Amino acid sequence: MKRAAPATPVLFSTDPQPRLRAEIAPGAVHVPGWLTPEQQRELVEACRRWAAGPVPMRHTRLPNGGVMSVQTVCVGWHWRPYAYSRTAEDVNGARVAEFPGWMTELGRRALAAAYEDPAAGEGYAPDTALINFYDGAAKMGMHQDKDERSDAPVVSLSIGDTCVFRLGTTVGRTRPWTDIQLASGDLFVLGGPSRFAYHGVPRVHPGTADPASGLAGGRLNITMRVTGLTGV
Ligand code: MD3
Ligand code: FE
């Protein structure tokens, strides 16, 4: 009688991308699985509320006449290419939702976790969050985030389908770059020399979301930023 081959012990498997905290580039830290499924579901609920209004989630219009394939809603400050404002003149003129205090706390804990330093989040005061929704076909081309007048870190949280995230250099949108997978619950912090690096999302893997995340399909990405702007 033939015996079944013994299962490969998981301790000896060669994982091409270990789900461990990793510094992808100086100041760019990936913390896989940082959010619990319950935290992911709570964030999905908050994003659903913001997506409904006062400024609805929609495809941002680009200055060249096109629209982004990603859908976006903002809190704190409304972003459109090259400008932040308190009202969404390119959507419905409404004032954006307040940036919630709990999100500031989440951002501070994110920095402490990413930089493995309990003090790293002290004083971090994000005042805007961009919430991006990717359906299976959405992508984001290589770009820099430089509409903020601050070099404070950006905190990114991913929920739902896994994507390929591409981190390039500060020099240009071409190679060299590093591709990593961002999965549901992952934290990514972009600070220090990586804050103004080119980056993008070339592809989402449809159907890879953990249903426990609260998203049946697609990918949500929340980025917290410090705009460096003042005013009511
Ligand atoms: C690297 N969002 O909203 S998050 C964006 O997954 C944006 O939706 C992507 O790029 C997304 O602008 C990527 C990770 C991220 C955010 C900000 C960065 C990477 C960054 C700023 C500088 C360098
Ligand atoms: Fe970006």
Side-chain angles (χ1 to χ4, degrees), residues 93-115:
R95 186 182 167 100
V96 288
E98 287 296 319
F99 189 94
W102 58 260
M103 202 176 253
T104 302
E105 287 309 313
L106 189 62
R108 291 180 179 173
R109 291 200 296 105
L111 292 190
Y115 294 134

Side-chain angles (χ1 to χ4, degrees), residues 130 132 134 140 143 145 154 156 165 167 190 194-197 199 201 219 221 223 225:
L130 273 59
N132 291 326
Y134 294 73
M140 195 178 288
H143 67 279
D145 291 9
V154 174
S156 154
F165 170 71
L167 182 63
L190 286 303
S194 292
R195 172 62 182 83
F196 296 103
H199 59 279
V201 175
R219 168 173 185 265
N221 181 263
T223 53
R225 303 131 189 262

Side-chain angles (χ1 to χ4, degrees), residues 29-213:
V29 181
H30 180 206
V31 187
W34 185 66
L35 295 168
T36 66
E38 185 182 11
Q39 290 174 318
Q40 293 172 49
R41 291 193 295 273
E42 286 179 7
L43 284 170
V44 169
E45 275 317 304
C47 291
R48 281 194 215 282
R49 285 193 294 272
W50 286 320
V55 181
M57 178 173 263
R58 86 294 176 232
H59 299 273
T60 300
R61 283 178 237 240
L62 296 169
N64 68 11
V67 292
M68 292 176 69
S69 58
V70 168
Q71 299 176 68
T72 304
V73 65
C74 310
V75 301
W77 288 88
H78 176 77
W79 175 81
R80 64 175 149 145
Y82 308 121
Y84 281 100
S85 55
R86 289 296 194 188
T87 56
E89 301 308 333
D90 59 330
V91 187
N92 63 356
R95 186 182 167 100
V96 288
E98 287 296 319
F99 189 94
W102 58 260
M103 202 176 253
T104 302
E105 287 309 313
L106 189 62
R108 291 180 179 173
R109 291 200 296 105
L111 292 190
Y115 294 134
E116 290 184 319
D117 173 1
E122 283 172 13
Y124 184 58
D127 61 348
T128 189
L130 273 59
I131 295 140
N132 291 326
F133 179 76
Y134 294 73
D135 65 19
K139 11 173 146 202
M140 195 178 288
M142 294 293 277
H143 67 279
Q144 286 173 299
D145 291 9
K146 52 179 187 184
D147 294 333
E148 301 79 21
R149 293 178 204 161
S150 162
D151 57 11
V154 174
V155 169
S156 154
L157 300 170
S158 294
I159 302 174
D161 285 339
T162 298
C163 76
V164 178
F165 170 71
R166 180 166 288 172
L167 182 63
T169 68
T170 54
V171 178
R173 61 185 81 242
T174 55
R175 286 183 170 85
W177 55 52
T178 305
D179 284 353
I180 65 162
Q181 310 241 60
L182 289 182
S184 203
D186 288 10
L187 162 67
F188 204 92
V189 170
L190 286 303
S194 292
R195 172 62 182 83
F196 296 103
Y198 280 87
H199 59 279
V201 175
R203 158 166 172 71
V204 171
H205 297 294
T208 52
D210 177 355
S213 68

